Amino acid sequence: MTEPGTGQVDLSGTRIAIVNWRDPWHPEAGGAERHAWEVARGLVARGAVVEFVTSRAPCQSRRDRRDGIGIARMGGRFTVYPLVLAWLAVRRWAFTAVLDCQNGIPFFTPWVLSRRVPVLCVMFHVHTAQFGMHFPGWAARVGRLLEGPAARLAYRRHACVAISPSTVTAMREGLRWPGDIYMIPTGVMAPVLAPPAGPPESGTAHADREGREPVVWVGRLVAHKRAELLLDVAERLGPAGVCVEVVGRGPAAGPLAAQVAERGLGDSLRLHGYLPEEAKLALVSGAMLHLNTSCGEGWGLCVLEAAALGLPTVAFDVPGLRDAVRDGETGWLVKDGERIEDVTQRALKELSDPVRRAAVATACRDWAASFPWEASVARMAGLVHAAIQHGTFRAQCRGAWVVSVAGPAGAHEVVAEGPVLDTLLGEDSPVALVRPATALERLLGRQLSQVADGPP
């Protein structure tokens, strides 16, 4: 077994199924789809044969192959679940391991697979409160039943991976999840942009061609993202020369456009719809501030992507976003009793100081650099490799630990949990548990020289 976190494991000869609600080319795809696909690519790079099993949008083919990954598409928004189970039931012995991605409702793959096939439930975030935003009362109750009690029963012999501390907390407290939960965050793609010509010299250096100071919002226009809160931001700050640039598409786009017109905010709130990646990055990099109005996320991938460009975020102090934003360092959290337009105004005032803006931009880039995709994929690959060796994703030694491992150059310390930790403790070389990992070490997947416990 190699050092945990390096991901230098050999998965040749393994067949792995990743089941996810959508693939990255689905019209409604988001961060969860990108996460699942990057994991699939990483497993293939280490020799695994991967089948990505997902739903099928009307414009998509039933079978596809990309990046060396087979794609099997079937069913729509809800019919994908029984169809995927039927597909797996026919192939219940075909896979060495299965990654079952839960996007509100899990696929319940253990019900049709052999007990000898290790299953890992990958949890992006708990949807309990969001079911009521998207579905009528009876359907929301069914969703909560499937996400909670039914899922606890289905995965009781298996383990889960959560992508943030907030998700772990929500699973323990909200879903009363009793089993093993490991943590592997979503990674951040390094942006590819030409460096700016020089440092900004004033607080208006980011002004657009009309002389307005842009702030940007990026995401899917759906109910729980609450993009309608941007109307108050535009109304408050528009007269001061601020323009809110909205990038994204979804069912809430039409109603939002109607409200922009009704309130006469066309000059201070612009709806761009979908933008190609290069155009999106250019718009984000030219903004002074990134806004996130969501009522809860699993992690907040768009926050870290903005941070990679040196752009801080104003977001609500809610699950996921409170993990992705380091309050006062890489952004500002809107606390209970506060309004996002007030916090945005305060943030822009701080950023008008070039020294403060430069310090925040540096902190943003450093924070985002802590989560490269390769590190997240390597951690997942190491977990899959160890689980295949042990025949289960469940752990014998509970918790995440800083472990001292002997090597040719002397002992060094790593952070490990789950089957990876069990494998280390079962090796012949001297291994010692040093101490429990802190919350931040567990999130980052590495030992820190300066230990500071508490929320990341």
Side-chain angles (χ1 to χ4, degrees), residues 287-452:
M288 279 287 288
L289 191 63
H290 172 243
L291 305 183
N292 190 305
T293 51
S294 177
C295 66
E297 296 288 335
W299 172 230
L301 180 57
C302 61
V303 171
L304 272 298
E305 290 179 334
L309 295 166
L311 193 66
T313 293
V314 169
F316 286 84
D317 186 9
V318 295
L321 296 175
R322 66 170 62 107
D323 302 323
V325 175
R326 296 177 71 84
D327 193 22
E329 297 179 34
T330 67
W332 295 263
L333 292 176
V334 182
K335 306 295 178 63
D336 288 342
E338 293 184 317
R339 298 174 65 88
I340 190 170
E341 56 266 33
D342 296 331
V343 179
T344 300
Q345 188 173 36
R346 186 172 74 240
L348 288 172
K349 184 177 180 180
E350 285 191 43
L351 294 173
S352 67
D353 176 2
V355 175
R356 171 63 170 154
R357 184 168 68 252
V360 170
T362 298
C364 286
R365 293 190 182 97
D366 290 346
W367 178 237
S370 301
F371 303 96
W373 261 120
E374 178 54 31
S376 294
V377 170
R379 290 167 69 180
M380 184 68 82
L383 178 58
V384 170
H385 182 265
I388 291 171
Q389 287 184 319
H390 287 267
T392 178
F393 279 102
R394 298 191 67 177
Q396 295 177 346
C397 183
R398 295 299 180 92
W401 288 80
V402 175
V403 183
S404 177
V405 181
H412 60 285
E413 294 183 350
V414 298
V415 173
E417 62 179 326
V420 175
L421 178 58
D422 292 341
T423 299
L424 283 172
L425 295 177
E427 289 183 340
D428 295 333
S429 58
V431 174
L433 297 177
V434 177
R435 58 176 171 80
T438 66
L440 183 55
E441 286 175 325
R442 190 185 184 202
L443 176 65
L444 297 176
R446 66 176 187 271
Q447 183 263 352
L448 300 176
S449 56
Q450 294 183 343
V451 177

Side-chain angles (χ1 to χ4, degrees), residues 1-251:
M1 177 69 186
T2 58
E3 177 183 327
T6 66
Q8 301 305 313
V9 295
D10 184 5
L11 293 172
S12 299
T14 63
R15 292 182 56 85
I16 300 170
I18 298 179
V19 294
N20 195 68
W21 195 14
R22 306 178 181 116
D23 63 44
W25 298 275
H26 192 286
E28 298 179 28
E33 286 68 42
R34 188 183 306 180
H35 178 99
W37 189 257
E38 290 300 322
V39 168
R41 292 179 67 231
L43 298 178
V44 167
R46 291 160 176 83
V49 175
V50 177
E51 193 77 17
F52 199 97
V53 194
T54 185
S55 63
R56 177 175 175 254
C59 58
Q60 293 183 299
S61 60
R62 297 185 184 276
R63 296 289 304 182
D64 200 353
R65 189 167 188 83
R66 301 191 185 210
D67 298 339
I69 302 162
I71 305 175
R73 300 187 180 103
M74 60 200 74
R77 189 178 189 185
F78 299 113
T79 56
V80 61
Y81 293 98
L83 290 176
V84 165
L85 284 182
W87 188 92
L88 282 174
V90 175
R91 299 162 178 81
R92 64 191 308 264
W93 295 99
F95 295 103
T96 316
V98 171
L99 304 188
D100 184 335
C101 301
Q102 179 164 341
N103 293 284
I105 301 173
F107 281 86
F108 299 103
T109 56
W111 287 350
V112 299
L113 294 169
S114 166
R115 287 193 178 185
R116 297 180 183 178
V117 177
V119 174
L120 183 68
C121 180
V122 182
M123 180 77 77
F124 295 100
H125 66 103
V126 173
H127 290 66
T128 302
Q130 294 180 15
F131 283 121
M133 292 182 163
H134 296 274
F135 303 106
W138 68 269
R141 288 191 292 272
V142 171
R144 287 190 284 268
L145 173 66
L146 294 174
E147 183 183 46
R152 287 199 304 270
L153 177 64
Y155 298 93
R156 67 190 184 279
R157 296 188 180 92
H158 301 276
C160 290
V161 158
I163 67 169
S164 70
S166 290
T167 301
V168 174
T169 299
M171 291 180 70
R172 295 294 190 202
E173 297 178 359
L175 300 183
R176 294 182 289 126
W177 203 279
D180 298 324
I181 305 175
Y182 316 127
M183 194 187 308
I184 301 176
T186 295
V188 182
M189 289 288 191
V192 181
L193 283 174
E201 297 178 357
S202 72
T204 59
H206 287 260
D208 63 14
R209 285 177 295 183
E210 287 80 29
R212 304 182 71 85
E213 194 170 70
V215 300
V216 66
W217 184 99
V218 180
R220 290 184 298 124
L221 290 167
V222 293
H224 73 275
K225 302 289 186 178
R226 303 189 303 183
E228 67 276 5
L229 296 179
L230 298 171
L231 296 164
D232 292 334
V233 176
E235 191 167 64
R236 165 76 70 82
L237 302 179
V242 173
C243 183
V244 182
E245 311 280 2
V246 179
V247 180
R249 58 188 175 189

